[in-house]
Amino acid sequence: MTLKQQLTEDMKTAMRGGDKHRLGVIRLMLAAIKQREVDERIELDDVQVLSVLEKMLKQRKDSVSQYAAAHREDLADVERAEMVVIETYLPAKLGDDEIDALITAAIAETGASSPRDMGKVVAAVKEKAAGRADMGVVSGRVKARLAG
């Protein structure tokens, strides 16, 4: 079963169970997936669906920080609740040791030796860690590793 099919089944289950919050978030996810499919005129596979969900999660993290800065905890709590539902569909995050191992392998694979090669290394790690690592963190670690 694809991730998109799983979302559709979970939407039906939430409808039957009367879980309005979960239903609303799943509908938002399906709408974002459908929007990208329509915009790009393609059928998304699981990797592309994961990228849509990661983008939604990132948007909510940004919203939470902005709401918290504006002292609107009520709105921040809504975003946090949506994040919990979205995270259930994302794969388990990699640990620090696993990320470091991927970076080491990518550096060896690409032959990177200076900060100029950072893009190649990050691209190689992104390919292997699809949806399982925060690429901002990975980028910072790659930069530190290549700088010294």
Side-chain angles (χ1 to χ4, degrees):
M1 179 180 287
T2 67
L3 189 53
K4 206 163 68 171
Q5 291 169 333
Q6 180 66 47
L7 281 166
T8 304
E9 288 303 313
D10 289 351
M11 180 180 69
K12 291 175 187 174
T13 303
M15 270 190 236
R16 287 187 203 110
D19 189 349
K20 292 183 180 192
H21 170 70
R22 186 171 184 78
L23 175 63
V25 177
I26 292 172
R27 282 182 172 161
L28 284 173
M29 290 188 283
L30 286 170
I33 293 165
K34 188 68 174 170
Q35 182 65 49
R36 180 150 172 221
E37 287 180 336
V38 169
D39 288 348
E40 297 179 18
R41 293 189 171 100
I42 57 171
E43 178 91 15
L44 297 182
D45 62 9
D46 278 353
V47 173
Q48 293 166 318
V49 169
L50 281 175
S51 74
V52 170
L53 297 183
E54 286 172 8
K55 182 178 178 184
M56 291 179 73
L57 191 62
K58 185 177 185 310
Q59 288 170 338
R60 275 144 188 84
K61 284 180 184 175
D62 292 343
S63 296
V64 165
S65 64
Q66 289 176 2
Y67 288 143
H71 305 292
R72 292 297 309 263
E73 284 303 315
D74 56 327
L75 296 174
D77 290 341
V78 171
E79 297 291 327
R80 285 186 193 104
E82 288 180 5
M83 286 170 58
V84 169
V85 176
I86 294 169
E87 286 172 340
T88 61
Y89 294 97
L90 296 175
K93 296 292 181 192
L94 294 174
D96 290 341
D97 295 339
E98 295 168 308
I99 291 172
D100 288 338
L102 281 175
I103 291 171
T104 302
I107 289 173
E109 207 176 274
T110 60
S113 59
S114 71
R116 290 182 306 171
D117 302 323
M118 190 174 147
K120 293 181 208 170
V121 176
V122 171
V125 172
K126 186 175 185 177
E127 186 178 303
K128 292 177 183 152
R132 300 181 302 149
D134 180 353
M135 293 315 293
V137 171
V138 170
S139 179
R141 288 188 181 183
V142 169
K143 186 176 187 178
R145 183 86 65 85
L146 292 176

